[in-house]
Amino acid sequence: MLHLPLERQLRQAVAAVLADADPALLRVRPCPDARFGDYQTNSLMGLARERKLNPRQLAADVVARLDVGEWSEPPEIAGAGFINFRLRPTAVARALQEALRGEHLFVQPAVTPRTVVVDFSSPNVAKPMHVGHIRSTILGDCLARTLRRLGHRVMTDNHLGDWGTQFGKLIVGWKRSLDAAALAQDAVGEMERLYQTVHAACETDAALLESARQELVRLQGGDAENLAIWRQMIDLSQHQFDTIYARLGVRFDHTLGESFYNPRLKTVVQELASRGIARESEGAMVVFFEDVPELKAHPAIIQKSDGAANYATTDLATLAYRLETWRPDEIVYVTDGRQQLHFKQIFAAFRRWQPQAHLQLAHVWFGSILGEDGKPFKTRSGGTVKLADLLDEAQERARRVVTEKAPALPEAERQEIARIVGLGAIKYSDLLPNRQSDYVFNWDKMLALSGNTAPYLQYAYTRIRSIFRKLPDSAPEAVHWLAQAQAQCPLAAAEELRLAKHLLNFGLVLEAVAQEYRPNYLCTYLYELAGHFTGFYETCPVLKAGEPERSSRLALCDLTARVLQDGLAVLGIETSERM
Ligand code: ARG
């Protein structure tokens, strides 16, 4: 929070020295090394380089005009032209008091809210959601929550894979060997079985393959029977996806699957062709990227030689539709790393198609989830791990952890805590690593109550909440801590001040998450917060302290719990009052 007034004053001071400097380039950020201060700016060095000025001299000129005494000790010039700021405890206390009055929770809502579409999860109809979709779902949901928390307008859209050649085989299977009882039991499982059976049989049975092709042509031609089957497959799949989304607490503003764009595909191809962006090549319509070095060897087919559109055509139509309908400033796509080339092509083709569009496009990609053996995560028997089973197992394992920890809690409460802890563990272990690296799925690690895990943070939260349950609020000697802390908040101990300063950076971290699409920054922040809290709680008595320390420390406890809870909520993770 307090980087904001510092940044504002910095901009003023620089304007007095260099009237035409771009204020947007002047930033104050946390010091990477706390020994040098709390905040720092390195912006002057770039400015000096640009203008061939001596950077330390420029820093000195700026510092001479820098009026920050309200928040900071006298700023110091360091190294090649950094300016370091050390916060005054009184300023930190004031920010805490604002938070206690409910003015903010260390987050400054965006001054100019943006409209952002987040395209995530997007599983395929008639196929179970697997662990690959879990990352997209968890990551996409977290990014949507982060952007919303910062005050942006967010539109989440589930781009279901509900169209494609697989429906030929699926319809053949449906017509010839549907097991109604199995369908009623586990619809997606049955559809998967149908597909796999027909797919395998087609390897050797040319007539069957031909029937699948014909069923597909019929579906594409609008045959009523095939359309009805196809719709039923979508409904059944959607129902199963929805059960998972409900468990994960994920919701979508829109679910516009690939088929929604079918009526628009021809126009896209025609438009790109008429503008010379796509051209015919061996019967197909192709976009060549001669001007983009990394795509030079990778032209994008937008219409196959048999006249059919594909994934790329659909994505271009989708992009255009979203732009027209929602006028977003930004669209974020969350998928695994294997789709990098696809999105590079889509973005490049779109830029040529609509060069005037002011639209930020981001492909937020992620690595794979691996098993202990370092190979793609599979069940013991080698099958793909289904998301529903994974969530069941997480809850079951968490139940054992909770039972061991708190055997006295009533069964129903233990179940509920297990749900919160189990889901939290899965989500956190997915959000914690750098999203672009693969990570090894490990139950024991993710459910551990110590270390950088969700249960550890959830437990830290309950520990703080338990302090408040011990509060004798009716005892005559107990002044009301909130009123007292709002009036006076001494932060005399080093551990108190360190914790308080860390709280101030919550909003900054959220901004970094939104900017770089990296929830792991928030995980690290919360883990450090819990660590600073422990340091504080081990050295500073709270309930046994005299006033005004007691109230001020209770305030620190309360704000820490609130930031922990809010931060976990941004990660899509719930908290419980007891554990
Ligand atoms: N259905 C695709 C898959 O499972 C993901 C779709 C991602 N979104 C998009 N607009 N292409 O791989």
Side-chain angles (χ1 to χ4, degrees):
M1 275 259 128
L2 293 183
H3 66 291
L4 292 169
L6 297 178
E7 204 166 78
R8 191 181 62 226
Q9 298 306 98
L10 174 73
R11 286 174 182 173
Q12 266 183 26
V14 172
V17 178
L18 298 169
D20 60 337
D22 178 3
L25 299 177
L26 300 168
R27 295 186 171 277
V28 173
R29 287 293 173 267
C31 247
D33 186 337
R35 278 176 306 175
F36 299 124
D38 299 311
Y39 293 101
Q40 165 177 92
T41 181
N42 60 12
S43 309
L44 297 183
M45 294 179 297
L47 210 58
R49 200 177 317 118
E50 221 174 68
R51 287 153 203 257
K52 307 212 178 347
L53 299 170
N54 174 334
R56 279 191 71 102
Q57 185 57 49
L58 176 62
D61 293 345
V62 169
V63 166
R65 288 170 178 77
L66 200 52
D67 179 12
V68 291
E70 202 182 323
W71 306 276
S72 162
E73 308 292 350
E76 284 171 13
I77 301 171
F82 292 93
I83 302 176
N84 292 332
F85 304 91
R86 193 174 299 278
L87 295 177
R88 283 177 187 271
T90 50
V92 179
R94 270 201 311 275
L96 252 47
Q97 287 164 322
E98 288 161 13
L100 290 172
R101 288 195 297 266
E103 290 172 25
H104 58 69
L105 192 59
F106 313 109
V107 181
Q108 161 98 11
V111 185
T112 37
R114 295 157 62 77
T115 301
V116 187
V117 175
V118 188
D119 172 324
F120 70 99
S121 191
S122 310
N124 302 315
V125 163
K127 280 197 201 163
M129 269 175 105
H130 56 72
V131 289
H133 292 118
I134 198 181
R135 284 206 94 173
S136 175
T137 308
I138 292 173
L139 205 56
D141 180 54
C142 171
L143 294 175
R145 286 172 188 265
T146 307
L147 289 161
R148 282 205 177 101
R149 181 67 182 81
L150 290 169
H152 298 290
R153 288 178 292 264
V154 178
M155 222 88 77
T156 51
D157 189 3
N158 193 355
H159 191 71
L160 280 191
D162 63 358
W163 195 252
T165 51
Q166 70 274 24
F167 285 100
K169 287 172 184 165
L170 277 164
I171 292 174
V172 168
W174 186 281
K175 286 184 178 172
R176 298 190 188 181
S177 50
L178 183 65
D179 177 344
L183 193 73
Q185 263 283 314
D186 169 17
V188 172
E190 171 61 4
M191 290 188 275
E192 191 194 22
R193 184 191 68 84
L194 291 178
Y195 178 80
Q196 283 170 354
T197 319
V198 177
H199 183 70
C202 282
E203 297 281 313
T204 52
D205 186 342
L208 191 67
L209 187 62
E210 178 52 24
S211 320
R213 209 190 54 79
Q214 281 169 11
E215 295 294 9
L216 181 66
V217 171
R218 250 177 250 142
L219 174 69
Q220 288 164 338
D223 173 80
E225 187 190 4
N226 282 8
L227 275 177
I229 294 174
W230 168 71
R231 279 207 192 95
Q232 210 178 334
M233 292 192 210
I234 296 180
D235 289 346
L236 290 167
S237 305
Q238 182 74 58
H239 181 76
Q240 214 149 325
F241 299 153
D242 285 344
T243 319
I244 296 212
Y245 295 141
R247 283 179 80 176
L248 291 173
V250 171
R251 64 175 194 84
F252 293 93
D253 301 307
H254 303 276
T255 297
L256 298 177
E258 294 179 14
S259 68
F260 175 80
Y261 301 96
N262 283 349
R264 298 165 179 270
L265 302 178
K266 276 271 166 292
T267 328
V268 170
V269 177
Q270 276 160 12
E271 246 186 73
L272 291 180
S274 70
R275 297 197 195 181
I277 297 166
R279 63 171 195 263
E280 211 235 272
S281 168
E282 295 168 41
M285 291 304 291
V286 182
V287 181
F288 291 93
F289 303 101
E290 281 95 354
D291 51 336
V292 187
E294 60 174 343
L295 294 179
K296 227 177 161 142
H298 303 285
I301 298 180
I302 57 164
Q303 183 176 288
K304 295 188 274 183
S305 50
D306 63 1
N310 61 11
Y311 190 47
T313 332
T314 310
D315 255 325
L316 284 168
T318 306
L319 222 173
Y321 173 85
R322 288 173 176 162
L323 188 59
E324 274 161 45
T325 316
W326 301 321
R327 301 257 148 238
D329 300 290
E330 180 176 348
I331 305 181
V332 180
Y333 299 82
V334 188
T335 83
D336 71 51
R338 288 170 304 183
Q339 299 197 29
Q340 285 179 80
L341 176 62
H342 168 74
F343 283 105
K344 280 181 185 153
Q345 292 173 323
I346 296 300
F347 297 170
F350 176 76
R351 294 288 177 216
R352 276 166 56 188
W353 180 19
Q354 307 201 21
Q356 74 294 345
H358 283 289
L359 176 62
Q360 186 177 325
L361 294 169
H363 180 214
V364 174
W365 61 271
F366 51 82
S368 328
I369 306 181
L370 306 177
E372 295 288 352
D373 55 2
K375 300 212 184 88
F377 189 45
K378 289 266 156 59
T379 58
R380 214 157 276 161
S381 56
T384 43
V385 179
K386 295 184 181 140
L387 203 40
D389 297 343
L390 198 75
L391 301 184
D392 289 344
E393 186 165 353
Q395 275 175 236
E396 176 49 32
R397 284 176 182 262
R399 205 181 54 81
R400 277 179 253 154
V401 175
V402 174
T403 304
E404 201 171 301
K405 184 103 199 138
L409 286 179
E411 170 68 15
E413 193 174 345
R414 261 187 289 137
Q415 288 285 7
E416 174 61 1
I417 297 171
R419 184 187 67 77
I420 291 172
V421 170
L423 293 178
I426 293 242
K427 289 189 179 186
Y428 195 82
S429 69
D430 209 59
L431 294 168
L432 175 66
N434 171 344
R435 63 177 157 79
Q436 281 147 337
S437 41
D438 299 344
Y439 79 91
V440 175
F441 191 91
N442 181 313
W443 285 117
D444 294 333
K445 220 162 120 188
M446 73 174 78
L447 282 162
L449 281 165
S450 56
N452 196 352
T453 65
Y456 167 72
L457 295 175
Q458 290 167 319
Y459 186 56
Y461 173 80
T462 61
R463 258 175 45 218
I464 305 177
R465 298 296 305 150
S466 76
I467 299 171
F468 288 88
R469 283 196 292 274
K470 291 189 208 124
L471 213 58
D473 45 18
S474 55
E477 78 276 11
V479 286
H480 192 264
W481 65 268
L482 183 59
Q484 167 79 27
Q486 281 171 350
Q488 231 192 70
C489 208
L491 297 168
E495 289 81 6
E496 285 176 286
L497 194 57
R498 191 171 57 194
L499 174 62
K501 285 176 177 176
H502 196 72
L503 287 169
L504 299 183
N505 288 337
F506 181 40
L508 252 179
V509 170
L510 294 182
E511 283 166 27
V513 170
Q515 183 125 39
E516 297 177 43
Y517 316 106
R518 294 196 186 280
N520 56 313
Y521 295 168
L522 179 54
C523 298
T524 306
Y525 171 82
L526 294 174
Y527 181 61
E528 286 170 359
L529 179 63
H532 290 325
F533 181 80
T534 306
F536 150 76
Y537 200 59
E538 277 167 4
T539 37
C540 304
V542 176
L543 291 174
K544 293 202 174 78
E547 291 297 352
E549 283 78 14
R550 181 176 180 275
S551 288
S552 149
R553 288 175 184 171
L554 278 168
L556 266 175
C557 293
D558 179 56
L559 292 171
T560 303
R562 278 158 59 187
V563 170
L564 268 175
Q565 184 175 43
D566 194 8
L568 285 168
V570 169
L571 296 175
I573 296 174
E574 294 172 71
T575 39
S576 74
E577 292 301 299
R578 297 201 282 184
M579 238 170 103

